[in-house]
Amino acid sequence: MDKIASTTSILELAPEELIIATQLEPSTYVVTVKVYEREHFLANPNLSVNQKQIDQYSIYPGRLIQTFAEIKDKYEGWSKIDKTLPTELIGIHNQDPYILYIQFSINQRYFQYKRCLASSSETVQEELFGRKDHSRLRALCHEDEQYLISKLRFMPKAKKAISFYSLKTSYGFTHAKRHLSFR
């Protein structure tokens, strides 16, 4: 069993410059699947140390082939943000007093900003229309996510909405934690 536990599987998505890597956790028999940008994975291919993943999933070993196919389909066409294109605000959804959603687009790509007060987190994900609910949102690389969050903060309507949803302050700093989805 030790041989299986130390094995890492890697699948490269060539046009997207992404790598899907898996590793079996020997203590729980759960497979951790991480999606990396190629350059970040090659800089440190040790999955237990490298925390620069775009997305992460925890699955049962029996679902590995199906999960690989779903992730490959989800990230097909993935690319970095073109920072030269203008951002257009589509809508602000703030019916929930603890969660703010802002939808916006860049050219023909649509995004969803989520700010959650309960978990003190803010994320931006790309919306993929025509997909199942569990694969409708696609993670961005950390740099693109931070770029889009800062861009939203300079848009007057978005800036005003975000100001009503201030994150918890701890030790004098506001923490924005990166959300990882586990399936």
Side-chain angles (χ1 to χ4, degrees), residues 77-137:
W78 183 92
S79 64
K80 290 196 170 241
I81 301 296
D82 184 352
K83 296 176 181 176
T84 62
L85 296 172
T87 304
E88 182 182 334
L89 189 65
I90 296 172
I92 298 173
H93 309 282
N94 60 350
Q95 291 86 9
D96 186 330
Y98 297 104
I99 301 175
L100 170 69
Y101 291 100
I102 299 175
Q103 291 178 301
F104 60 100
S105 68
I106 298 176
N107 202 12
Q108 294 296 315
R109 294 177 70 181
Y110 297 89
F111 302 92
Q112 180 184 79
Y113 167 84
K114 178 181 176 184
R115 187 178 187 97
C116 181
L117 298 181
S119 63
S120 295
S121 65
E122 59 182 350
T123 60
V124 175
Q125 293 183 310
E126 185 173 4
E127 288 189 85
L128 305 172
F129 296 104
R131 304 278 178 104
K132 297 176 188 173
D133 282 342
H134 70 277
S135 63
R136 190 177 62 82
L137 296 173

